[in-house]
Amino acid sequence: MAPTTQDRVVLLDEAGGETGTAARAAVHTTDTPLHLAFSSYLVDAAGRVLITRRSLSKVAWPGVWTNSCCGHPRPGEDVADAARRRIRQELGLTVRDLRCALPNFRYRATDVTGIVENELCPVFWGRVDPAELQPDPDEVIEHAWVEWPDLVAAVRATPQVFSPWSVSQVPLLEGGPSLTREPGSRSAGHRTVSEFLGDVDRLLRSEVAELQQRWSELTGGAPAEVLPGHLPDWLSEQLSAGGKRLRIRLVHWGHLAAGGDSEPTAYAQLVRLASALEVLHQFALVHDDVMDQSASRRGRPSAYVEATRAHIAAAGRGGAERFGENLAILLGDLAHSLADQLVDPLPAEQRALWYRLCTELIAGQGADLTGAAAGRRDRAHSEQVARLKSSRYSVERLLELGALAAGAGPAQRAALLECGQHLGRIFALRDDFLGVWGDPELTGKPAGDDLAEAKATVILALATDRLTGAAAEALERLGTRDQRPDDVAVVTEALDAAGIRTEIEEMIAAEVSCCDTLLDTAPLTPAGVAGLRAEVRAIAWRDS
């Protein structure tokens, strides 16, 4: 292979198609294009996983702990072959069994230096012999063989000492299924989270491609005007922008906990249901940003901001901001339409619960808006909004839908519903916490946005009851025309001083304890319980 090819990476478009190559040394900048990479987790015969610490000479993320080995395929090189090659070069190890666990993993992260990683990065499991290990000191300065539960705990407790890609990958690897059996193998009767996510992604790509074809027929193949592409193209881009995939995972765990398996017809229905939920979530995000006037989402401009900028760039007629909001609303409407289309073939009981979920989501958003206009800051109102808009939509109904698809009995459904109520409160409380104290680099949204908008949250209700003096006056101005530039900072400082930040953390910890107690005796499958316990902790202490 020519030297010029050996040191080049494969560039990708948003759909994952190859668009060309670039020099590896030059591609990682403050504006890194999407490109192909890989990550690997290597295990020994005892089931321990190898973690490595990046050399201090690395340009980005020097000295952080990470997974076993990462790298980039060369142009024309199979990704698995590239992983084997790089593992041998960097660690001196020969992989005896390499299986892909997360074929569609994608992430974007920014180092403190401003350098960006932007990769479609399949994740592999592999088996190796530790006696062969000979790390390249230019790449690895330390290594350790650790038990998988210990790695999971460490990543959740101290994510700042690990690479951002490993922090995102570890929760998706389903508790390390490859550490107790052959990598990639499947327990009888059910599919892993990674397999389920892959099946959902494949269905979504197929459904969006069909929508794009229908749209092309409607427009006669004419190019889009003002916008870079037609609405289905835009929706495809939004759906591929990443995210935690929380809702898909909860449907999976609800199904598995209730004894669901991979019987072809039932499993196909479950994949369709989870795909619909993913598209519905896109509808909710796009419309929510318009209503809240949030300028960014997942570290990118919100949809209405993108459309506004496109209008300005095209010197379009009429108001650019109004155009941006209108097109974003249409984008959300299209997402909701596609979600309903996905649900249409499902059994009647599943469709009924789906439409109930949709109604609760809209009712919660409506209560949020009207309550804000009416100046509602009481705790009863904030908890009602959180239950409808966050808890039920993001957690409770998803576990219930998964259980329903599994044919769960009354006792199992009751247990999952109760677990979902606790976990839903955890989700809503952490969401409120991040809206005030979250790191914008991780949340993708400006810090203090929820306070600036005087959103109906438990934090706002506690603040209303406890703050006094200048802080109470600043709090009263939030969300009004009288708001001053420093009011959010004043209120945030007062919340800390009043112990509200600590109290929210204690409330979350109490709900986690309730979940654990419930799951100890719930009539659910051991695999499902283990998955739910992991999700409880991932949701409780997430930072985005």
Side-chain angles (χ1 to χ4, degrees):
M1 189 173 293
T4 53
T5 302
Q6 290 180 2
D7 202 35
R8 298 186 73 81
V9 300
V10 178
L11 302 180
L12 306 172
D13 60 24
E14 288 299 315
E18 295 186 13
T19 61
T21 67
R24 181 180 59 82
V27 76
H28 295 93
T29 66
T30 56
D31 190 24
T32 303
L34 180 64
H35 60 281
L36 187 60
F38 66 84
S39 289
S40 64
Y41 290 77
L42 305 176
V43 297
D44 65 7
R48 299 177 304 167
V49 64
L50 174 67
I51 59 173
T52 59
R53 188 177 173 212
R54 289 167 63 85
S55 167
L56 296 176
S57 63
K58 289 284 190 182
V59 176
W61 288 284
V64 302
W65 285 91
T66 189
N67 52 290
S68 306
C69 184
C70 299
H72 303 88
R74 296 164 176 168
E77 184 180 27
D78 179 78
V79 179
D81 289 342
R84 293 186 183 93
R85 169 181 56 79
R86 191 61 188 161
I87 290 166
R88 187 166 52 252
Q89 292 173 345
E90 187 171 306
L91 300 171
L93 295 169
T94 299
V95 183
R96 289 166 176 78
D97 193 354
L98 190 70
R99 310 284 181 90
C100 191
L102 302 174
N104 301 303
F105 177 76
R106 178 178 170 178
Y107 76 98
R108 189 178 189 278
T110 305
D111 186 41
V112 292
T113 62
I115 291 178
V116 172
E117 281 283 11
N118 185 16
E119 298 180 338
L120 178 63
C121 181
V123 181
F124 293 87
W125 288 110
R127 289 191 181 275
V128 295
D129 181 357
E132 299 176 352
L133 182 62
Q134 294 183 348
D136 180 352
D138 291 334
E139 301 290 342
V140 175
I141 56 171
E142 287 186 71
H143 71 273
W145 293 92
V146 300
E147 300 292 339
W148 180 258
D150 294 337
L151 176 58
V152 172
V155 166
R156 287 183 177 145
T158 57
Q160 66 275 10
V161 304
F162 290 88
S163 67
W165 53 92
S166 61
V167 170
S168 297
Q169 290 163 357
V170 166
L172 297 177
L173 290 171
E174 199 199 0
S178 300
L179 305 184
T180 55
R181 58 184 186 272
E182 288 299 300
S185 67
R186 181 181 307 161
S187 295
H190 77 272
R191 297 186 184 233
T192 66
V193 167
S194 60
E195 289 172 324
F196 186 53
L197 288 169
D199 290 336
V200 169
D201 284 337
R202 278 186 284 276
L203 179 59
L204 282 175
R205 285 196 296 270
S206 173
E207 292 290 329
V208 171
E210 184 178 335
L211 175 61
Q212 289 170 314
Q213 179 59 38
R214 291 199 306 270
W215 198 277
S216 179
E217 293 169 359
L218 289 172
T219 61
E225 295 177 325
V226 180
L227 293 176
H230 288 294
L231 288 180
D233 305 322
W234 196 10
L235 178 57
S236 176
E237 180 184 341
Q238 295 281 320
L239 287 170
S240 64
K244 294 179 287 294
R245 317 302 293 278
L246 166 68
R247 289 155 187 83
I248 297 179
R249 298 202 311 272
L250 287 177
V251 170
H252 168 85
W253 292 122
H255 185 259
L256 181 59
D261 58 29
S262 293
E263 186 278 320
T265 300
Y267 181 73
Q269 292 174 349
L270 188 72
V271 170
R272 179 168 284 273
L273 177 62
S275 301
L277 287 164
E278 188 74 358
V279 183
L280 181 71
H281 186 50
Q282 197 59 49
F283 147 79
L285 294 179
V286 171
H287 279 201
D288 199 49
D289 287 341
V290 173
M291 288 182 276
D292 292 345
Q293 290 292 284
S294 295
S296 62
R297 171 71 63 180
R298 293 173 178 165
R300 301 174 47 171
S302 299
Y304 82 90
V305 173
E306 287 189 36
T308 300
R309 292 176 180 176
H311 184 281
I312 295 171
R317 297 186 179 185
E321 292 184 2
R322 182 64 179 271
F323 173 86
E325 293 175 353
N326 287 344
L327 267 293
I329 289 170
L330 284 178
L331 177 67
D333 290 343
L334 182 64
H336 204 320
S337 174
L338 179 59
D340 284 343
Q341 178 181 308
L342 281 161
V343 167
D344 187 59
L346 296 180
E349 193 174 9
Q350 293 181 32
R351 292 201 311 273
L353 188 55
W354 162 268
Y355 288 117
R356 185 173 180 180
L357 175 153
C358 291
T359 303
E360 289 169 345
L361 170 61
I362 295 170
Q365 184 67 69
D368 192 11
L369 293 171
T370 57
R376 291 286 300 273
R377 299 188 175 189
D378 55 285
R379 186 161 177 177
H381 172 68
S382 67
E383 289 180 342
Q384 179 197 29
V385 170
R387 181 83 188 276
L388 292 172
K389 187 180 172 184
S390 295
S391 177
R392 284 187 175 170
Y393 159 65
S394 295
V395 180
E396 292 180 43
R397 296 301 183 205
L398 309 187
L399 293 177
E400 189 176 1
L401 281 164
L404 188 60
Q412 290 175 314
R413 288 182 66 172
L416 284 169
L417 187 60
E418 185 177 353
C419 177
Q421 289 168 355
H422 290 298
L423 184 51
R425 285 193 283 272
I426 292 170
F427 181 90
L429 286 168
R430 181 57 68 192
D431 231 25
D432 292 353
F433 183 96
L434 293 174
V436 177
W437 293 290
D439 181 346
E441 289 293 323
L442 299 175
T443 64
K445 300 186 71 174
D449 254 14
D450 286 0
L451 287 179
E453 297 162 13
K455 278 196 172 183
T457 67
V458 171
I459 294 172
L460 190 71
L462 292 174
T464 300
D465 289 342
R466 298 185 190 173
L467 299 192
T468 59
E473 294 172 3
L475 178 68
E476 185 63 28
R477 289 191 294 269
L478 293 179
T480 73
R481 295 179 181 178
D482 298 326
Q483 184 172 318
R484 299 175 184 175
D486 63 342
D487 281 346
V488 170
V490 169
V491 172
T492 301
E493 184 178 349
L495 291 173
D496 281 335
I500 292 175
R501 178 173 184 162
T502 300
E503 185 171 346
I504 295 296
E505 292 284 18
E506 291 171 348
M507 292 168 67
I508 291 171
E511 294 292 346
V512 169
S513 179
C514 288
C515 279
D516 282 342
T517 300
L518 171 67
L519 291 172
D520 283 341
T521 57
L524 304 172
T525 68
V529 168
L532 287 171
R533 287 191 194 278
E535 292 295 346
V536 166
R537 282 152 180 77
I539 291 170
W541 290 292
R542 73 190 194 277
D543 55 16
S544 63

